[in-house]
Amino acid sequence: MSAKHLPTDVVVALDVGGTGMKCGLVRADGTVLHTERHPTDAGRGPDAVVETILAVAEGLAGKARADGIDPVAVGIAVPGVIDEARGIAVWSANLGFRDVPLRGLARERLGLPTALGHDVRAGGLAEARLGAGRDGGHVLFVAIGTGIAAAHVVDGTAATGAHGAAGEIGHIQVRPGGPRCGCGRPGCLEAVSSAAAIGRRYSALAGVPATAAEVADRAAAGEPLAADVWREAVEALADGLATGQSLYDVQTVVLGGGLARAGTLLFDPLRAALHERLTFHREPRLVAAALGDEAGCLGAALLALDSLEK
Ligand SMILES: [Zn+2]
Protein backbone atom coordinates (compact mmCIF):
# COMPACT_ATOMS: atom_id res chain seq x y z
CA MET A 1 0.00 0.00 0.00
CA SER A 2 1.15 3.46 -0.78
CA ALA A 3 2.84 5.85 1.56
CA LYS A 4 1.44 8.83 -0.27
CA HIS A 5 -1.85 8.70 1.65
CA LEU A 6 -2.00 10.71 4.83
CA PRO A 7 -2.53 8.83 8.09
CA THR A 8 -5.88 10.58 8.34
CA ASP A 9 -7.08 9.23 4.99
CA VAL A 10 -9.57 6.39 4.92
CA VAL A 11 -11.53 4.47 2.34
CA VAL A 12 -15.17 3.55 2.60
CA ALA A 13 -15.54 -0.22 2.13
CA LEU A 14 -18.66 -2.33 1.62
CA ASP A 15 -19.00 -6.09 1.20
CA VAL A 16 -22.53 -6.68 -0.01
CA GLY A 17 -23.94 -10.18 0.45
CA GLY A 18 -27.32 -11.70 -0.22
CA THR A 19 -28.43 -11.26 3.39
CA GLY A 20 -26.16 -8.61 4.90
CA MET A 21 -23.60 -5.91 4.19
CA LYS A 22 -20.33 -5.71 6.12
CA CYS A 23 -19.04 -2.19 5.89
CA GLY A 24 -16.29 -0.10 7.35
CA LEU A 25 -13.79 2.71 7.26
CA VAL A 26 -10.31 1.38 6.56
CA ARG A 27 -6.97 3.17 6.62
CA ALA A 28 -4.35 2.74 3.92
CA ASP A 29 -2.32 0.45 6.21
CA GLY A 30 -5.30 -1.92 6.56
CA THR A 31 -6.34 -0.69 10.00
CA VAL A 32 -10.11 -0.87 10.41
CA LEU A 33 -11.34 2.27 12.17
CA HIS A 34 -15.04 1.58 12.18
CA THR A 35 -17.39 -1.21 11.14
CA GLU A 36 -21.11 -1.39 10.48
CA ARG A 37 -23.48 -4.14 9.44
CA HIS A 38 -26.71 -3.62 7.58
CA PRO A 39 -29.34 -6.01 6.23
CA THR A 40 -29.39 -6.28 2.43
CA ASP A 41 -33.03 -7.30 2.28
CA ALA A 42 -32.61 -8.38 -1.35
CA GLY A 43 -36.30 -9.28 -1.61
CA ARG A 44 -37.03 -5.56 -2.03
CA GLY A 45 -35.63 -5.67 -5.55
CA PRO A 46 -32.37 -4.43 -7.13
CA ASP A 47 -33.23 -0.71 -7.16
CA ALA A 48 -33.85 -0.68 -3.41
CA VAL A 49 -30.65 -2.65 -2.77
CA VAL A 50 -28.63 -0.18 -4.86
CA GLU A 51 -30.18 2.72 -2.96
CA THR A 52 -29.25 1.10 0.37
CA ILE A 53 -25.66 0.52 -0.81
CA LEU A 54 -25.32 4.18 -1.83
CA ALA A 55 -26.96 5.45 1.36
CA VAL A 56 -24.74 3.29 3.58
CA ALA A 57 -21.62 4.43 1.69
CA GLU A 58 -22.71 8.03 1.99
CA GLY A 59 -23.33 7.57 5.72
CA LEU A 60 -19.85 6.10 6.22
CA ALA A 61 -18.20 8.96 4.30
CA GLY A 62 -20.19 11.40 6.43
CA LYS A 63 -19.12 9.66 9.62
CA ALA A 64 -15.47 9.86 8.58
CA ARG A 65 -15.74 13.59 7.90
CA ALA A 66 -17.54 14.15 11.20
CA ASP A 67 -14.58 12.44 12.91
CA GLY A 68 -12.11 14.71 11.10
CA ILE A 69 -10.97 11.98 8.70
CA ASP A 70 -10.86 12.43 4.95
CA PRO A 71 -12.57 9.68 2.90
CA VAL A 72 -10.52 9.37 -0.31
CA ALA A 73 -12.18 6.48 -2.14
CA VAL A 74 -14.94 3.89 -2.05
CA GLY A 75 -14.65 0.13 -2.55
CA ILE A 76 -17.68 -2.08 -3.06
CA ALA A 77 -17.61 -5.87 -3.33
CA VAL A 78 -20.64 -7.78 -4.57
CA PRO A 79 -21.30 -11.43 -5.49
CA GLY A 80 -21.95 -12.72 -9.02
CA VAL A 81 -20.32 -11.86 -12.32
CA ILE A 82 -18.58 -8.52 -11.96
CA ASP A 83 -16.93 -6.55 -14.74
CA GLU A 84 -14.35 -4.80 -12.58
CA ALA A 85 -12.76 -2.92 -15.48
CA ARG A 86 -16.06 -1.28 -16.42
CA GLY A 87 -17.44 -1.11 -12.89
CA ILE A 88 -20.57 -3.07 -13.70
CA ALA A 89 -22.34 -5.76 -11.69
CA VAL A 90 -23.18 -7.87 -14.72
CA TRP A 91 -25.22 -10.51 -12.97
CA SER A 92 -25.90 -11.42 -9.36
CA ALA A 93 -28.52 -14.01 -8.48
CA ASN A 94 -28.35 -13.13 -4.76
CA LEU A 95 -28.98 -9.42 -5.30
CA GLY A 96 -31.17 -9.58 -8.41
CA PHE A 97 -28.59 -7.43 -10.24
CA ARG A 98 -28.33 -7.39 -14.00
CA ASP A 99 -25.95 -4.89 -15.62
CA VAL A 100 -25.98 -2.44 -12.70
CA PRO A 101 -23.35 0.30 -13.27
CA LEU A 102 -22.64 0.44 -9.55
CA ARG A 103 -19.23 2.09 -9.76
CA GLY A 104 -20.60 5.06 -11.73
CA LEU A 105 -23.62 5.37 -9.45
CA ALA A 106 -21.46 5.48 -6.33
CA ARG A 107 -18.99 7.89 -7.90
CA GLU A 108 -21.82 10.22 -8.82
CA ARG A 109 -23.52 10.02 -5.44
CA LEU A 110 -20.42 10.36 -3.24
CA GLY A 111 -18.11 12.34 -5.52
CA LEU A 112 -15.26 9.95 -4.73
CA PRO A 113 -13.18 7.55 -6.86
CA THR A 114 -14.86 4.15 -6.59
CA ALA A 115 -13.79 0.57 -7.24
CA LEU A 116 -16.22 -2.28 -7.80
CA GLY A 117 -15.10 -5.86 -7.18
CA HIS A 118 -16.24 -9.42 -6.75
CA ASP A 119 -16.84 -10.51 -3.15
CA VAL A 120 -14.75 -13.69 -3.17
CA ARG A 121 -11.95 -12.10 -5.23
CA ALA A 122 -11.95 -9.22 -2.73
CA GLY A 123 -11.81 -11.68 0.17
CA GLY A 124 -8.97 -13.54 -1.53
CA LEU A 125 -7.10 -10.32 -2.09
CA ALA A 126 -7.33 -9.50 1.61
CA GLU A 127 -6.28 -13.00 2.70
CA ALA A 128 -3.37 -12.93 0.23
CA ARG A 129 -2.12 -9.48 1.29
CA LEU A 130 -3.12 -9.18 4.94
CA GLY A 131 -4.19 -12.64 6.09
CA ALA A 132 -3.27 -16.32 5.89
CA GLY A 133 -1.64 -16.12 2.45
CA ARG A 134 0.57 -13.12 3.04
CA ASP A 135 3.82 -15.11 2.81
CA GLY A 136 3.12 -16.44 -0.67
CA GLY A 137 3.18 -14.61 -4.00
CA HIS A 138 0.72 -17.05 -5.58
CA VAL A 139 -2.35 -17.77 -3.49
CA LEU A 140 -5.59 -19.59 -4.19
CA PHE A 141 -8.35 -18.54 -1.81
CA VAL A 142 -11.31 -20.91 -1.75
CA ALA A 143 -14.48 -19.89 0.06
CA ILE A 144 -16.68 -22.84 0.99
CA GLY A 145 -20.14 -22.06 2.28
CA THR A 146 -23.47 -22.23 0.50
CA GLY A 147 -21.42 -22.51 -2.69
CA ILE A 148 -17.73 -22.76 -3.53
CA ALA A 149 -15.82 -19.97 -5.23
CA ALA A 150 -12.17 -19.07 -5.49
CA ALA A 151 -9.79 -16.23 -6.14
CA HIS A 152 -6.36 -16.67 -7.71
CA VAL A 153 -4.14 -13.91 -6.39
CA VAL A 154 -0.76 -13.30 -8.00
CA ASP A 155 1.55 -10.78 -6.37
CA GLY A 156 -1.32 -9.00 -4.69
CA THR A 157 -3.75 -8.86 -7.61
CA ALA A 158 -6.76 -11.15 -8.03
CA ALA A 159 -7.28 -12.35 -11.60
CA THR A 160 -10.72 -11.34 -12.85
CA GLY A 161 -10.86 -13.31 -16.10
CA ALA A 162 -11.84 -11.95 -19.48
CA HIS A 163 -15.53 -11.76 -18.55
CA GLY A 164 -15.36 -11.09 -14.81
CA ALA A 165 -16.04 -14.72 -13.96
CA ALA A 166 -12.61 -16.14 -13.00
CA GLY A 167 -12.38 -18.43 -9.99
CA GLU A 168 -15.57 -20.45 -10.38
CA ILE A 169 -13.83 -23.52 -9.03
CA GLY A 170 -17.13 -24.68 -7.53
CA HIS A 171 -18.29 -25.56 -11.02
CA ILE A 172 -15.46 -27.93 -11.86
CA GLN A 173 -17.25 -31.18 -12.58
CA VAL A 174 -15.80 -33.65 -10.09
CA ARG A 175 -18.57 -36.28 -10.08
CA PRO A 176 -20.18 -36.75 -13.51
CA GLY A 177 -23.65 -38.12 -12.84
CA GLY A 178 -23.53 -36.75 -9.28
CA PRO A 179 -26.00 -34.41 -7.60
CA ARG A 180 -27.28 -31.60 -9.79
CA CYS A 181 -25.68 -28.23 -9.20
CA GLY A 182 -27.53 -24.91 -8.99
CA CYS A 183 -25.94 -24.07 -12.36
CA GLY A 184 -27.84 -26.98 -13.93
CA ARG A 185 -24.98 -29.42 -14.44
CA PRO A 186 -24.66 -32.66 -12.44
CA GLY A 187 -21.66 -33.27 -10.21
CA CYS A 188 -20.10 -29.83 -9.86
CA LEU A 189 -17.73 -29.49 -6.90
CA GLU A 190 -20.12 -27.24 -5.01
CA ALA A 191 -22.97 -29.74 -5.47
CA VAL A 192 -20.90 -32.27 -3.50
CA SER A 193 -18.52 -30.42 -1.18
CA SER A 194 -20.12 -27.13 -0.21
CA ALA A 195 -21.38 -26.84 3.36
CA ALA A 196 -24.92 -26.72 2.00
CA ALA A 197 -24.38 -29.87 -0.11
CA ILE A 198 -22.93 -31.82 2.82
CA GLY A 199 -25.91 -30.90 5.00
CA ARG A 200 -28.33 -31.82 2.21
CA ARG A 201 -26.68 -35.16 1.47
CA TYR A 202 -26.61 -36.26 5.09
CA SER A 203 -30.15 -35.07 5.73
CA ALA A 204 -31.45 -37.01 2.71
CA LEU A 205 -29.72 -40.24 3.78
CA ALA A 206 -30.33 -39.97 7.53
CA GLY A 207 -33.82 -38.56 7.29
CA VAL A 208 -33.01 -35.87 9.85
CA PRO A 209 -31.82 -32.34 9.14
CA ALA A 210 -28.17 -31.56 9.88
CA THR A 211 -25.67 -28.86 9.07
CA ALA A 212 -22.22 -29.58 7.65
CA ALA A 213 -20.71 -28.74 11.05
CA GLU A 214 -22.96 -31.34 12.68
CA VAL A 215 -22.00 -33.90 10.04
CA ALA A 216 -18.32 -33.20 10.81
CA ASP A 217 -18.93 -33.65 14.54
CA ARG A 218 -20.88 -36.87 14.03
CA ALA A 219 -18.18 -38.21 11.72
CA ALA A 220 -15.55 -37.42 14.35
CA ALA A 221 -17.70 -39.20 16.96
CA GLY A 222 -17.63 -42.33 14.78
CA GLU A 223 -21.08 -42.30 13.20
CA PRO A 224 -20.61 -44.35 9.98
CA LEU A 225 -23.14 -42.50 7.81
CA ALA A 226 -21.74 -39.08 8.76
CA ALA A 227 -18.20 -40.38 8.21
CA ASP A 228 -19.15 -41.57 4.70
CA VAL A 229 -20.78 -38.28 3.73
CA TRP A 230 -17.85 -36.30 5.13
CA ARG A 231 -15.24 -38.47 3.40
CA GLU A 232 -17.05 -38.22 0.05
CA ALA A 233 -17.15 -34.43 0.36
CA VAL A 234 -13.48 -34.20 1.37
CA GLU A 235 -12.41 -36.45 -1.51
CA ALA A 236 -14.37 -34.43 -4.05
CA LEU A 237 -12.87 -31.25 -2.61
CA ALA A 238 -9.40 -32.75 -2.97
CA ASP A 239 -10.21 -33.54 -6.62
CA GLY A 240 -11.22 -29.92 -7.14
CA LEU A 241 -8.15 -28.56 -5.39
CA ALA A 242 -5.86 -30.89 -7.34
CA THR A 243 -7.33 -29.49 -10.54
CA GLY A 244 -6.81 -26.02 -9.10
CA GLN A 245 -3.17 -26.79 -8.37
CA SER A 246 -2.66 -28.11 -11.92
CA LEU A 247 -4.00 -24.83 -13.25
CA TYR A 248 -2.51 -22.34 -10.82
CA ASP A 249 0.57 -23.92 -9.17
CA VAL A 250 0.22 -21.81 -6.01
CA GLN A 251 2.33 -21.74 -2.85
CA THR A 252 -0.67 -21.46 -0.58
CA VAL A 253 -4.29 -22.53 -0.67
CA VAL A 254 -6.34 -20.58 1.87
CA LEU A 255 -9.68 -22.15 2.77
CA GLY A 256 -12.36 -19.82 4.07
CA GLY A 257 -16.10 -19.79 4.54
CA GLY A 258 -18.15 -21.82 6.99
CA LEU A 259 -16.67 -25.22 6.15
CA ALA A 260 -13.11 -24.16 7.01
CA ARG A 261 -14.24 -23.72 10.62
CA ALA A 262 -14.33 -27.52 10.89
CA GLY A 263 -10.56 -27.18 11.49
CA THR A 264 -8.54 -30.39 11.69
CA LEU A 265 -11.66 -32.47 10.89
CA LEU A 266 -11.40 -30.93 7.44
CA PHE A 267 -7.73 -30.08 7.03
CA ASP A 268 -6.17 -33.41 8.12
CA PRO A 269 -8.08 -35.69 5.72
CA LEU A 270 -8.05 -33.03 2.98
CA ARG A 271 -4.26 -32.66 3.13
CA ALA A 272 -3.87 -36.43 2.89
CA ALA A 273 -6.34 -36.70 -0.01
CA LEU A 274 -4.67 -33.84 -1.88
CA HIS A 275 -1.25 -35.40 -1.31
CA GLU A 276 -2.48 -38.67 -2.90
CA ARG A 277 -3.72 -36.83 -5.98
CA LEU A 278 -0.68 -34.74 -6.81
CA THR A 279 2.00 -36.44 -8.85
CA PHE A 280 4.70 -34.12 -10.14
CA HIS A 281 3.08 -30.93 -8.89
CA ARG A 282 4.47 -29.18 -5.88
CA GLU A 283 2.12 -29.49 -2.96
CA PRO A 284 0.64 -26.19 -1.80
CA ARG A 285 0.49 -25.17 1.83
CA LEU A 286 -3.14 -25.68 2.91
CA VAL A 287 -4.22 -23.20 5.59
CA ALA A 288 -7.37 -21.76 7.14
CA ALA A 289 -8.39 -18.19 6.38
CA ALA A 290 -7.28 -15.68 9.02
CA LEU A 291 -9.59 -12.71 8.51
CA GLY A 292 -12.98 -14.35 9.07
CA ASP A 293 -16.01 -12.68 7.54
CA GLU A 294 -14.26 -9.29 7.42
CA ALA A 295 -12.10 -10.42 4.49
CA GLY A 296 -14.52 -9.17 1.83
CA CYS A 297 -14.79 -5.72 3.41
CA LEU A 298 -10.99 -5.46 3.78
CA GLY A 299 -10.62 -6.58 0.18
CA ALA A 300 -13.07 -3.91 -0.97
CA ALA A 301 -10.89 -1.38 0.86
CA LEU A 302 -7.77 -2.71 -0.90
CA LEU A 303 -9.52 -2.39 -4.28
CA ALA A 304 -10.38 1.22 -3.45
CA LEU A 305 -6.78 1.97 -2.46
CA ASP A 306 -5.41 0.19 -5.53
CA SER A 307 -7.69 2.24 -7.77
CA LEU A 308 -6.03 5.41 -6.44
CA GLU A 309 -2.62 4.13 -7.55
CA LYS A 310 -3.70 3.84 -11.16
ZN1 LIG B 1 -22.26 -25.94 -11.24
Side-chain angles (χ1 to χ4, degrees):
M1 275 169 264
S2 165
K4 77 185 175 201
H5 302 296
L6 299 171
T8 50
D9 288 350
V10 291
V11 293
V12 172
L14 289 86
D15 174 21
V16 182
T19 49
M21 303 181 191
K22 293 146 203 149
C23 322
L25 294 171
V26 182
R27 261 206 308 243
D29 65 0
T31 313
V32 179
L33 294 184
H34 170 76
T35 58
E36 289 179 9
R37 297 202 174 205
H38 299 272
T40 303
D41 219 348
R44 298 172 301 149
D47 292 347
V49 173
V50 169
E51 176 50 35
T52 302
I53 291 169
L54 298 177
V56 167
E58 210 170 26
L60 282 163
K63 163 153 183 60
R65 289 191 188 100
D67 293 347
I69 307 163
D70 200 15
V72 292
V74 181
I76 304 172
V78 296
V81 176
I82 311 303
D83 185 335
E84 300 185 359
R86 289 162 61 225
I88 293 172
V90 177
W91 178 80
S92 170
N94 293 343
L95 303 175
F97 284 3
R98 196 165 267 284
D99 293 321
V100 176
L102 200 50
R103 184 177 69 193
L105 292 170
R107 210 185 253 165
E108 209 168 280
R109 177 83 162 257
L110 281 94
L112 292 171
T114 301
L116 180 68
H118 177 263
D119 60 346
V120 174
R121 289 200 292 268
L125 195 64
E127 285 290 348
R129 279 162 57 173
L130 308 169
R134 70 184 175 280
D135 301 326
H138 291 245
V139 175
L140 186 70
F141 171 68
V142 184
I144 310 172
T146 313
I148 298 181
H152 180 212
V153 184
V154 180
D155 296 333
T157 303
T160 60
H163 311 94
E168 293 287 359
I169 201 171
H171 301 283
I172 293 175
Q173 196 179 33
V174 292
R175 295 292 179 267
R180 192 162 290 277
C181 179
C183 77
R185 210 159 63 130
C188 287
L189 178 58
E190 77 172 36
V192 182
S193 301
S194 65
I198 293 168
R200 262 198 315 271
R201 174 85 177 140
Y202 180 88
S203 303
L205 293 173
V208 290
T211 63
E214 287 162 350
V215 176
D217 289 341
R218 286 174 199 183
E223 190 196 299
L225 178 60
D228 283 348
V229 170
W230 190 252
R231 191 184 55 248
E232 284 165 15
V234 167
E235 285 179 355
L237 184 56
D239 286 331
L241 293 182
T243 300
Q245 188 63 1
S246 301
L247 295 171
Y248 302 127
D249 182 31
V250 295
Q251 273 119 319
T252 308
V253 174
V254 179
L255 296 187
L259 203 71
R261 287 187 212 118
T264 52
L265 296 178
L266 175 66
F267 282 85
D268 288 352
L270 183 59
R271 250 183 224 113
L274 184 60
H275 178 79
E276 274 172 24
R277 283 159 176 77
L278 296 175
T279 53
F280 63 91
H281 291 102
R282 293 289 292 273
E283 220 166 301
R285 207 162 60 95
L286 192 61
V287 295
L291 303 173
D293 68 357
E294 280 202 351
C297 182
L298 281 167
L302 292 174
L303 288 173
L305 289 160
D306 289 353
S307 75
L308 294 173
E309 312 289 308
K310 285 172 188 159

